[in-house]
Each structure stands twice: as structure tokens, then as C-alpha cells.
């Protein structure tokens, strides 16, 4: 479905005609551009846009099917970029991702949005409040979407850092060192970091191409020269995000290894305690077993004080074993 359609002249908005062909002609005649926003369009709904703006069929297929990785494709009549906005769900401690596809031509921008967490209305309002930026043409829309997406990455990275600190406190608490559910929480956190990386890491190359002025960026059309420094600034922010994500990934792996090591140490401690108690139980069992044998001729069998003497012997040996194990840290 078409969410919004407007023509922009000299950085100012004017409502576009309902007919897309008329809107495009009006934008070209006025030296401006038309911006059409769509949300999860069907093939039939997108067919009209494809014909009017001569979009490349491969890019159209990607825009309809979604589930693409961030990328930048250059075609004869348009530029096609895929971004994956992410958002954090505090109720479930999950990272979810949507997709935004942007078609940029000489006098048009077509945005296709998939997912609930990537609204572009705020981006449109932000641009409309900055006519100077909007006057640079369709590139300003691509920059604003990229900048907003990366800014949200920074927010999600902050939320994940908070979750990681909670996991660290749980694993390294002196009393228990985590519970039996801690390992599953760590693994789930690692999956969230992986989902985050799938959105941030592949975006480096497209932003580098958009912001470059040398051989890398010279082949990217439809990008205003004044916008290239802004894309480089977005790329710098993305570099900070990727450094943070790499740090989170390393730390969560270290935390998982530390948790497993602590579990192994606790199991060893438990086995030592069980072994110590078993050794203490073996002494009276051995003595009772010897004197429980049905022999007539045994030392001190008929002695009056044999029973209390054996009891005292067993008690003394138990105390001696207990002190020995306690001194060695087994109990």
C-alpha cells in the first residue's frame, strides 16, 4: 500500500497528484523530486510503481520478497539500497529486524518498508523541517534513512550492553555463580548479538561507497557531492556500532566459558565432598563388617569393654578424617 506521496521543490513539500506519472512529470518540470513511500506492497500494487519509474526487475524482486542483507546496487536508471533497521524489545530481551528498500533516481525516491519497527514518518518529518538538506535532492532521503537507522543501532547496542552487564553479575555472583538456566540465557543473548551483526556489518561497504570521493565512490550515481561527507559521518557512527557489537560478541563468549568453568569447578567440589563423606562412612562400615563375621576366635571378642572400645575407635577415626578433609578444603 502507498503510505505517502509528495513532490518536493526547493526543499518544500507539496502534495503530489494521485497519478504517479503526473507526479513524476511535475517533479521534473519543477526541478524537484517525488517521494513515494510503500509498506509491504503486493506484486500487483508495486507493478504500477515499477512501470512509472522504470525500476530494475531484480531490485523489484528483492523489494517484494524482502529477507535481504544490507547492500547497494547501481542500475542504469536508479540506485537501490537495502537497510535493516533493528529495534529492542525490553519485554522479551530480543532484537528484531525489519527491512527498508530505497530506490533513488534523478528525480524520484521510492521507499519500501517491511516490518513494524522501521517507520519512516519521523524521517520524512525530520527532512521537511530541514529544507536546506532536502533541497539537495533524492540523496537527502537516502542519507536521512541511513542516519536514522544507524542511530537506532547505537540505542540497541546500549540496551544489549545493559543486558550483558546483568549476565556478568549473574555469572560472577559469589554465592552461586549462575543457575542452571544461565547457560541458555547466555546462548540466547549470543543469538541476539548475531541478529544484530547481520544488520550492521554488511552495511559498511554500501556506506563506504556512498561517502567515498575516490575510485570507490566515483561510480555511484545519483549521489549529490555535498551529501558525501554526511554519508562518511554515518559510516563513522556505524564503525562505533560494529566495534561495540564485536566487543559484545567476545565478552559473551568469555562469559559462557567462565560459566562452564565455574560449573565444572562446582561439580568437582561436589565430587570431593561426596568422596570425603563416603570415606568417612567406609571406616565404621569396615569395622562393623569385620566384627559382624561369625567367627568364634577373634581378638577381644568376649572382652567386657570391647563394644565401647570399638565405638570410641570408630568415633576417633571419624573425627580424624573429618579434620583432615576439612583442613584440605574437601568439606
Amino acid at each position: 500500500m502507498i503510505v505517502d506521496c509528495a513532490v518536493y521543490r526547493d526543499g518544500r513539500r507539496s502534495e503530489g497528484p494521485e497519478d504517479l506519472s503526473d507526479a513524476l512529470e511535475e517533479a521534473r518540470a519543477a526541478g524537484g523530486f517525488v517521494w513515494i513511500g510503500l509498506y509491504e506492497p503486493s506484486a500487483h500494487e508495486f507493478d504500477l510503481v515499477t512501470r512509472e519509474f522504470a525500476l530494475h526487475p531484480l531490485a523489484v524482486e528483492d523489494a517484494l520478497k524482502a529477507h535481504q542483507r544490507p547492500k547497494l546496487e547501481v542500475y542504469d536508471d536508479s540506485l537501490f539500497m537495502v537497510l535493516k533497521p533493528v529495534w529492542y524489545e525490553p519485554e522479551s530481551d530480543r532484537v528484531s529486524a525489519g527491512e527498508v528498500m530505497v530506490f533513488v533516481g534523478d528525480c524520484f525516491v521510492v521507499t519500501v518498508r517491511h516490518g513494524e519497527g522501521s517507520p519512516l514518518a519521523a524521517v520524512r518529518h525530520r527532512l521537511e523541517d530541514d529544507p536546506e538538506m532536502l533541497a539537495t535532492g533524492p540523496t537527502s532521503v537516502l542519507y536521512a534513512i541511513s542516519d536514522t537507522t544507524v542511530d537506532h543501532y547505537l540505542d540497541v547496542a546500549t540496551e544489549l550492553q545493559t543486558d550483558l552487564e546483568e549476565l556478568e553479575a549473574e555469572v560472577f555472583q559469589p554465592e552461586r555463580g549462575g543457575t542452571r538456566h544461565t547457560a541458555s540465557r547466555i546462548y540466547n543473548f549470543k543469538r541476539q548479538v548475531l541478529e544484530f551483526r547481520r544488520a550492521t556489518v554488511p552495511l559498511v561497504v554500501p556506506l563506504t561507497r556512498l561517502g567515498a570521493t575516490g575510485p570507490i565512490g566515483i561510480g555511484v550515481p545519483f549521489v549529490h557531492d555535498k551529501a558525501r561527507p554526511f554519508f562518511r559521518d554515518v559510516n563513522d557512527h556505524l564503525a562505533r556500532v560494529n566495534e561495540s557489537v564485536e566487543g559484545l560478541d567476545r565478552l559473551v563468549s568469555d562469559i559462557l566459558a567462565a560459566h562452564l568453568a565455574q560449573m565444572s569447578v562446582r561439580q568437582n567440589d561436589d565430587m570431593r565432598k561426596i568422596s570425603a563423606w563416603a570415606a568417612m562412612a567406609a571406616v565404621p562400615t569396615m569395622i562393623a563388617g569385620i566384627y559382624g563375621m561369625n567367627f568364634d576366635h577373634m581378638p577381644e571378642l568376649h572382652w567386657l569393654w570391647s563394644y565401647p572400645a570399638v565405638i570410641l575407635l570408630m568415633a576417633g577415626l571419624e573425627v580424624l578424617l573429618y579434620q583432615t578433609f576439612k583442613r584440605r578444603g574437601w568439606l
Side-chain angles (χ1 to χ4, degrees):
M1 57 178 290
I2 296 179
V3 178
D4 199 353
C5 176
V7 175
Y8 295 89
R9 307 182 187 88
D10 299 323
R12 302 294 178 182
R13 175 189 174 117
S14 62
E15 296 302 324
E18 294 184 1
D19 185 84
L20 297 182
S21 181
D22 293 340
L24 185 59
E25 291 179 2
E26 180 180 332
R28 282 176 175 163
F33 68 95
V34 58
W35 180 2
I36 299 175
L38 300 99
Y39 175 70
E40 296 184 355
S42 64
H44 177 71
E45 292 172 335
F46 204 55
D47 185 58
L48 178 60
V49 178
T50 301
R51 293 197 308 269
E52 292 296 338
F53 295 99
L55 303 180
H56 197 279
L58 292 178
V60 171
E61 181 181 358
D62 290 343
L64 291 175
K65 291 185 177 180
H67 303 294
Q68 305 295 318
R69 68 195 305 269
K71 63 179 180 179
L72 176 67
E73 299 287 351
V74 178
Y75 300 103
D76 294 336
D77 300 323
S78 63
L79 191 71
F80 177 65
M81 187 170 179
V82 179
L83 301 101
K84 292 181 73 67
V86 299
W87 65 95
Y88 181 80
E89 300 177 1
E91 299 81 7
S92 57
D93 294 335
R94 290 187 57 194
V95 173
S96 299
E99 288 187 41
V100 173
M101 287 77 170
V102 185
F103 296 86
V104 177
D106 57 346
C107 58
F108 70 86
V109 177
V110 177
T111 55
V112 182
R113 182 168 62 91
H114 293 268
E116 297 294 336
S118 53
L120 297 180
V123 176
R124 191 183 287 264
H125 294 324
R126 168 189 166 188
L127 277 174
E128 290 173 355
D129 291 336
D130 189 358
E132 184 178 353
M133 173 62 71
L134 198 57
T136 60
T139 308
S140 62
V141 178
L142 183 59
Y143 158 71
I145 295 174
S146 302
D147 186 48
T148 302
T149 300
V150 174
D151 285 345
H152 287 167
Y153 289 166
L154 291 170
D155 297 337
V156 173
T158 301
E159 295 288 349
L160 290 176
Q161 183 65 41
T162 302
D163 288 347
L164 182 64
E165 292 173 357
E166 294 177 357
L167 280 176
E168 285 181 323
E170 181 178 341
V171 169
F172 294 106
Q173 60 180 338
E175 294 83 6
R176 302 186 62 184
T179 65
R180 60 183 179 178
H181 302 295
T182 301
S184 62
R185 287 192 59 197
I186 296 174
Y187 179 75
N188 181 66
F189 182 84
K190 193 171 181 64
R191 291 193 64 180
Q192 305 313 310
V193 173
L194 178 61
E195 181 72 20
F196 195 20
R197 292 189 66 174
R198 288 173 178 168
T200 62
V201 173
L203 190 57
V204 173
V205 174
L207 288 178
T208 301
R209 293 182 62 190
L210 291 171
T213 55
I216 297 179
I218 199 170
V220 181
F222 312 111
V223 177
H224 199 285
D225 289 337
K226 292 183 179 180
R228 295 189 188 276
F230 294 94
F231 283 112
R232 288 196 291 271
D233 180 68
V234 176
N235 201 13
D236 289 340
H237 293 171
L238 181 63
R240 289 173 48 198
V241 173
N242 284 327
E243 289 175 359
S244 177
V245 172
E246 290 178 4
L248 290 172
D249 191 45
R250 289 195 300 268
L251 282 175
V252 74
S253 298
D254 293 342
I255 290 174
L256 179 59
H259 175 66
L260 295 177
Q262 286 183 336
M263 294 291 290
S264 178
V265 169
R266 285 204 299 270
Q267 289 176 352
N268 289 337
D269 289 340
D270 293 340
M271 288 303 299
R272 287 195 301 180
K273 291 179 180 180
I274 293 172
S275 300
W277 287 111
M280 294 173 61
V283 172
T285 302
M286 180 189 66
I287 297 175
I290 292 174
Y291 278 89
M293 293 186 293
N294 295 322
F295 293 112
D296 291 332
H297 303 287
M298 291 183 65
E300 303 170 354
L301 187 62
H302 299 290
W303 186 36
L304 180 62
W305 297 100
S306 60
Y307 175 74
V310 170
I311 295 298
L312 289 175
L313 176 62
M314 288 191 294
L317 291 174
E318 290 295 306
V319 171
L320 178 62
L321 288 173
Y322 180 81
Q323 291 177 346
T324 301
F325 292 141
K326 190 72 173 178
R327 188 166 52 251
R328 294 185 177 181
W330 285 36
L331 291 175

